[in-house]
Structures are given as structure tokens and as C-alpha cells.
Amino acid sequence: MNKQFRLFAILTFLLIFSITFYQWCSMIALLTWTICGIIASKSAIKESDKLLSLTEIAMLLFFAINAISILFSFDKAEGLTNLQSFLPFAIIPLMASLYQKQLKNNHIPLLRFFVLGAVASSLICLVAALVRSFYIIDGSLVFNPYIGFRNQFVYTHLSIFLYTNTFAMCMVFTLAILVWELLFRSIHRRWPIYLGVALCILMIFLLSSRTNVYALFAVLYFSVLVFYLRFKKLIHSIIMLIAVTGLFWIFQNYNYRVLNLSKQVTSYITEEDIVMDNGYVIHHPQNLENVNIRFQMWETGIKLLRQYWITGCGIGDYKNVLRSEYQFDGIDEAYQKGYDQHNQYIETFATTGVFGGFLLLTILILALISAIKYRNYLLCCCLLLITLNMMLESMLNRFSASLFFVVAILLSMQTKFSDGQKNSIYQKT
């Protein structure tokens, strides 16, 4: 890593580390990273990877479409506020194009920075939970694991992080990076990677983001398949398959939110769903999210999509328009709590119209073509993770999630060659 790029790489670590913190932390890190990158860069370096260049262009156009959609909004101030969430689509691709050659040569250290950022965030989170699990009663120090180490760890008031879903996405992607290291790179000391994988699985269990629990197992099952295709070791692959299935059974039966998913869909709640500690109710059925409401919200979003399919209703007005439709459709909980769409595809088409929706799909399709062309394991895992989250969450209306989206895809696309050599990463090194 050359000296000119070293400072930029360190700032990249801070940028990645900030994803799991409050939004203003990420925005300050992105601003600092951008200023230093512009000062250090001299000229754009043209590369021959057309798919990567087209993906970066599509990201820039996606930001432009969201900015233009403000013109179709009555509330321009709200539109400008919401546009901040899409800033990574404007800044990251520009910086990546300026540092195309350096990113190609140094993508492995940057991926490791991502891992270090996620591990550091996890350890901070675990220590905070441990500290907050102790409290004093009558002069005695008492430990109550329900306070800091419940299954709904970050869904309680104890979380020091803002968005459970974004943090969980970072942990799933971190696990994918670690597995990529094991599968495609010569590692002398494997135990730190195994510890990292174990930490990722623990944090995803504690974070209890149901979408990312299933994204985790999509990545793990896909990894078993890739392991078999790469090494042709049937017995080892079967053992790994059994281990992943056993782990899934543990999540399905001991993670509270996953365990009750089917009951939430059917609204079938029993007395066993009331969790108590020392006579105090710490989880009551009334507080359970009814997953059925998401289907109702999607139907409302599709109505808006049909109504505003050409230009969209604009990012400035979408929240108010959606809330009014919730009220009209009688979805009281969504109206009162101001829920978003919980589906990024529907929300994008309804907000920015067919052009914005088409550009979002174009980004994903270009990345998918690149993944297939170069047989890029990490990019496949990244797309599994992102597409599943966008199916069940409106992830891009949060700055940190947009930042993750852009960084994860562009970094993953750099791993098409192993160690910078022009060969398939499935080829043994």
C-alpha cells in the first residue's frame, strides 16, 4: 500500500467503523474521507472493467434521480433532508473512480478494515451490554442477564447503536469476508478467522434482526455449496451442511423473534409467549410485531406505485402520502407509528417512478452479471444479503444503510481476481 493511499485507507477504516454508529458519525466520517481523498487524488485513472464503471455510473444516476424527484415534491425542505440518505451514491462512486487502480491493488486490506471495524463495534456493544447488566440493590451488585444479553439485545433500550438492521447486515457481510478468506486465500493462522466467524454468528443471534438471520443462513448454505464445488470433498461438505443445519435449528428454537415468527404471521399467541423475570413482564404479546401488517403495507405501496409510476411522488412527500394512505386503508398501527414501506423495491418505484426503480435494479443486475462472469463468491454473498434486506426493509432511507450498500457492492466487485492476478477465484492458488 503506497504512502499516498495509506491515509485514505485509514480513513476508510473509520468510515466503515462509523456505519454501525449514529448517523451523524457516519456523515462526519464520509465528509472527512471525501475531503482528504480529493486533496490526495491527482487524476482519474481509467480502467478496463466496464461492469464496475457502469455500476458506478448507475449509482451516480440513482442519486441524481432522487435529487430530481424533489422537483415533484411539495415539501422541498423535507426532500432535501431525505436526500442526505442517498449521499453515498454520489460520493463513494466518484472517489472509487479516482482510486480505481489503488482499490484494485489494495482491496484485501480494505476488506480487512471492514472486518476490524465490525469486530471493534461488536466488542464495544458486548462490553456495554455487560456493564448495563449489573445494577445495585440495597448496596449489593446484582447481575441480570435479561437487561443486556436478551435475544432482543439491540431491540431494547440498552443498544448503543442506532439501527439494528444495518449493524446486522455489517456482521453478515463480515462473516462472508472471513469465509472468503478461508475458501480462496492461503491463510497461515486460521484460528483468528474462526473466532471472527463465531463472533459474527453470536452478534447476529443477539441482534435478532430476522431478515439478517435468514441472510446469514443463505450465505452459510451458499458457502457449503461453493466449498463442495471448489474442493470436491463430499464428506467434509456433508459435515458442514449438517453443522449449518444444526445451527439453524438453534436459531429457530432459541432466538425469540425467529421462534415466534410463525405465531406473529398467524397472530396466534399463547401464555408461553409472555416472558417474565422475577415477577416482572419483560416481553408481552401486545409488544410483538404482527408480521401480517407488512403485507398490508406492501399493498398500500403498490397502490402508490400504480398512481405515481412515471415520476413518483417525490422523496419530499412520500412519507406523508404513505401515511395518509395507511389511514385511508385502515392500517392504524402503521399510520400512528409512521412506518416506512418495509420494501425498498416498492418504495423506490413509488418515490422516484419507473426511472429510479429501473436504476436501482440496474445496479443489482450489473453486480449480478459481474458475479456470474468472474464467479465472484463475495459479490454473490453481498447480493444475497442486500436483495433479501431490500425485500423486507426500506434500507436506503437511512444514511448508514445506503453507505453499507455502496461500500459493500463496490468492495466486493474488486475481489473478482485473487491477489490481483487475472484468473478465476475458483482456481486454486
Side-chain angles (χ1 to χ4, degrees):
M1 185 178 292
N2 59 47
K3 293 181 180 179
Q4 181 184 3
F5 191 68
R6 192 170 298 162
L7 175 61
F8 187 70
I10 293 172
L11 290 171
T12 302
F13 164 74
L14 296 176
L15 181 67
I16 292 168
F17 180 75
S18 71
I19 290 177
T20 52
F21 282 95
Y22 290 97
Q23 178 167 303
W24 63 268
C25 296
S26 296
M27 295 188 74
I28 292 175
L30 180 63
L31 178 62
T32 306
W33 179 81
T34 305
I35 293 173
C36 292
I38 291 174
I39 293 174
S41 63
K42 295 180 179 180
S43 62
I45 302 174
K46 295 183 179 180
E47 290 293 316
S48 58
D49 188 351
K50 294 181 180 180
L51 286 172
L52 179 58
S53 299
L54 288 173
T55 304
E56 291 169 350
I57 293 171
M59 288 178 173
L60 290 168
L61 291 175
F62 182 68
F63 174 80
I65 285 293
N66 279 277
I68 292 172
S69 73
I70 297 177
L71 299 176
F72 301 97
S73 304
F74 291 102
D75 193 340
K76 301 293 191 296
E78 179 69 14
L80 289 171
T81 300
N82 294 335
L83 187 63
Q84 296 178 33
S85 299
F86 297 94
L87 280 175
F89 286 90
I91 297 175
I92 304 291
L94 284 175
M95 298 303 297
S97 64
L98 290 174
Y99 281 100
Q100 200 75 272
K101 183 177 180 179
Q102 292 94 326
L103 286 173
K104 179 181 177 181
N105 295 333
N106 298 287
H107 66 274
I108 293 173
L110 293 179
L111 286 169
R112 290 175 177 170
F113 282 160
F114 195 103
V115 172
L116 289 174
V119 169
S121 301
S122 299
L123 294 178
I124 291 172
C125 204
L126 289 173
V127 170
L130 178 63
V131 170
R132 294 177 183 184
S133 292
F134 287 94
Y135 59 100
I136 298 176
I137 295 181
D138 297 330
S140 300
L141 192 64
V142 178
F143 177 72
N144 184 352
Y146 280 113
I147 293 181
F149 289 100
R150 289 184 51 209
N151 287 354
Q152 295 195 61
F153 175 48
V154 176
Y155 274 82
T156 68
H157 65 281
L158 295 172
S159 171
I160 62 173
F161 299 106
L162 184 57
Y163 296 120
T164 304
N165 185 261
T166 303
F167 192 15
M169 280 195 298
C170 289
M171 297 312 300
V172 176
F173 186 63
T174 299
L175 179 137
I177 295 171
L178 294 172
V179 175
W180 173 75
E181 290 263 10
L182 291 171
L183 288 174
F184 299 107
R185 293 180 51 77
S186 298
I187 307 297
H188 297 293
R189 295 181 180 179
R190 291 176 174 258
W191 64 266
I193 296 183
Y194 291 135
L195 288 177
V197 169
L199 177 63
C200 291
I201 293 172
L202 172 64
M203 288 304 299
I204 294 166
F205 181 88
L206 292 174
L207 290 166
S208 297
S209 168
R210 289 169 302 202
T211 303
N212 286 290
V213 165
Y214 292 109
L216 165 68
F217 285 100
V219 168
L220 289 177
Y221 280 116
F222 177 69
S223 300
V224 173
L225 175 62
V226 171
F227 176 84
Y228 173 73
L229 294 174
R230 179 169 167 78
F231 299 106
K232 304 298 182 182
K233 295 182 178 180
L234 180 60
I235 302 299
H236 292 78
S237 301
I238 292 174
I239 293 173
M240 292 172 62
L241 183 64
I242 293 172
V244 172
T245 303
L247 187 63
F248 181 76
W249 181 87
I250 292 173
F251 271 73
Q252 190 70 34
N253 289 276
Y254 292 97
N255 186 286
Y256 194 80
R257 299 189 84 230
V258 177
L259 173 64
N260 286 282
L261 181 59
S262 60
K263 295 179 180 179
Q264 293 177 41
V265 171
T266 60
S267 298
Y268 177 68
I269 306 295
T270 68
E271 293 182 359
E272 296 178 355
D273 297 309
I274 301 177
V275 180
M276 302 188 70
D277 178 48
N278 295 327
Y280 293 95
V281 175
I282 61 173
H283 203 109
H284 191 276
Q286 291 179 350
N287 296 324
L288 287 174
E289 176 192 358
N290 183 354
V291 179
N292 276 328
I293 196 174
R294 294 203 180 191
F295 300 114
Q296 298 172 351
M297 292 190 298
W298 292 350
E299 290 177 357
T300 300
I302 291 173
K303 285 172 54 181
L304 293 179
L305 187 156
R306 291 171 179 170
Q307 184 176 354
Y308 299 100
W309 70 275
I310 297 180
T311 62
C313 61
I315 61 174
D317 296 339
Y318 184 70
K319 291 180 181 178
N320 291 330
V321 171
L322 183 62
R323 197 162 180 263
S324 298
E325 288 296 322
Y326 285 154
Q327 185 180 28
F328 180 80
D329 292 342
I331 313 175
D332 295 333
E333 182 181 352
Y335 167 72
Q336 293 171 2
K337 296 183 178 180
Y339 285 154
D340 58 30
Q341 193 61 76
H342 279 72
N343 185 301
Q344 188 62 55
Y345 305 106
I346 296 175
E347 181 164 319
T348 299
F349 273 96
T351 305
T352 57
V354 66
F355 299 105
F358 173 76
L359 282 170
L360 179 61
L361 294 178
T362 299
I363 294 170
L364 297 176
I365 291 171
L366 288 171
L368 178 61
I369 293 172
S370 179
I372 295 172
K373 179 180 179 180
Y374 297 109
R375 304 172 76 183
N376 189 331
Y377 162 84
L378 187 59
L379 184 54
C380 287
C381 291
C382 178
L383 290 174
L384 276 175
L385 169 63
I386 285 176
T387 53
L388 184 57
N389 271 275
M390 290 203 301
M391 180 64 70
L392 300 172
E393 301 287 345
S394 296
M395 59 177 285
L396 299 183
N397 58 17
R398 298 189 296 273
F399 180 89
S400 58
S402 292
L403 182 60
F404 170 81
F405 178 99
V406 178
V407 168
I409 286 182
L410 294 183
L411 268 181
S412 297
M413 292 186 78
Q414 297 291 341
T415 63
K416 57 185 177 294
F417 304 128
S418 180
D419 295 326
Q421 300 174 356
K422 293 187 176 181
N423 56 5
S424 170
I425 62 173
Y426 277 138
Q427 181 178 333
K428 293 184 180 180
T429 56

